Amino acid sequence: MSDAQKTDAQQSFLDLLHAQRVWDVELPAFAPDTAPSAPLPLFHTWFAEAVAAGQAEPHTMSLATVDAEGHPDVRTLMLHDADERGWHFATHRTSAKGRQLATHPYAALGFYWPVQGRQVRVRGPVTACAPAESLADLHARSTGALASALTGSQSEVLASQGELARTADAAWERASAEPDAEVASWTRYVVEPREVEFFQGDARRRHVRLRYRRDGADWTRELLWP
């Protein structure tokens, strides 16, 4: 590709990028002075409202961790629960994120629900659940989820798509035949919140940001500049 073609391709990308719009919908209002004293009830409310508004896959979230060298890493995965203990997810402890959490057991979560212009951010230490709870988590999910867990080798180098197909087919067969199959590396984790921020977008960029900070057994609420 010539320099001129590269320039044209880059300009085409920029034109496409700059043509995109944010929140071309009516956004809900958020009065932070009416928010509850703790973040969990507000998260439950916002999640239910995201579902009611037709948000696709509202249970997906970004998980940010750091590796042994302190370099950040991020990926998208599913929320498994949000209760008084914290925000729950699961993965193989032998995966990249599992190894990173073993070294640095602290993480950040990010939810984005564009149909309402809302974000929720969670930060805090991460605890691995007991094997029995992790196994129960796995068996509460679908056959496909069990098959995926049985496939294993997450984050390792894959020799070919053919190898994946063969391994995945075998895992599906086992998951169908043995719905109670155990996966020793499958681990449920809980992010215990130290900070939780609720962001409500505004078309005039007067975004509302409400942060909860853990203060002993209580929470401190504070507004942030957008």
Side-chain angles (χ1 to χ4, degrees):
M1 182 181 293
S2 67
D3 289 344
Q5 289 174 319
K6 290 180 181 178
T7 299
D8 290 343
Q10 180 63 29
Q11 188 58 54
S12 295
F13 168 74
L14 288 175
D15 290 343
L16 182 61
L17 177 63
H18 295 161
Q20 306 310 304
R21 293 293 174 261
V22 178
W23 304 328
D24 281 342
V25 295
E26 184 176 349
L27 299 178
F30 174 45
D33 55 332
T34 65
S37 58
L40 184 62
L42 183 56
F43 179 82
H44 285 169
T45 297
W46 275 27
F47 183 86
E49 291 175 352
V51 173
Q55 175 63 56
E57 300 182 349
H59 59 316
T60 58
M61 60 186 184
S62 298
L63 167 69
T65 55
V66 295
D67 63 19
E69 289 73 41
H71 301 152
D73 203 351
V74 67
R75 74 287 288 164
T76 301
L77 70 171
M78 288 192 299
L79 176 70
H80 286 210
D81 198 359
D83 58 17
E84 294 297 336
R85 294 162 60 192
W87 275 251
H88 300 230
F89 65 93
T91 187
H92 293 281
R93 65 172 178 270
T94 53
S95 68
K97 52 187 171 294
R99 295 193 302 271
Q100 290 166 4
L101 289 170
T103 303
H104 297 291
Y106 209 95
L109 305 175
F111 296 85
Y112 179 44
W113 299 320
V115 295
Q116 294 186 299
R118 286 177 169 174
Q119 299 180 55
V120 180
R121 300 168 59 212
V122 182
R123 300 173 67 198
V126 180
T127 301
C129 296
E133 185 175 359
S134 296
L135 186 61
D137 171 273
L138 180 60
H139 291 158
R141 303 179 69 206
S142 66
T143 300
L146 176 58
S148 178
L150 286 168
T151 300
S153 304
Q154 189 177 60
S155 304
E156 296 180 13
V157 175
L158 176 65
S160 68
Q161 288 298 112
E163 181 182 8
L164 172 60
R166 291 189 296 273
T167 304
D169 287 346
W172 268 96
E173 290 182 8
R174 185 182 175 194
S176 299
E178 302 176 43
D180 294 327
E182 297 187 13
V183 181
S185 61
W186 188 257
T187 305
R188 181 160 173 151
Y189 294 91
V190 182
V191 179
E192 181 184 345
R194 290 290 185 265
E195 294 182 7
V196 184
E197 180 190 329
F198 293 83
F199 173 103
Q200 174 62 67
D202 178 82
R204 299 184 64 183
R205 301 301 191 264
R206 299 175 181 177
H207 312 311
V208 179
R209 295 177 63 189
L210 175 64
R211 180 172 64 188
Y212 290 80
R213 284 191 299 106
R214 176 72 77 177
D215 186 9
D218 300 317
W219 291 95
T220 295
R221 294 183 303 172
E222 51 202 2
L223 294 175
L224 303 176
W225 282 88

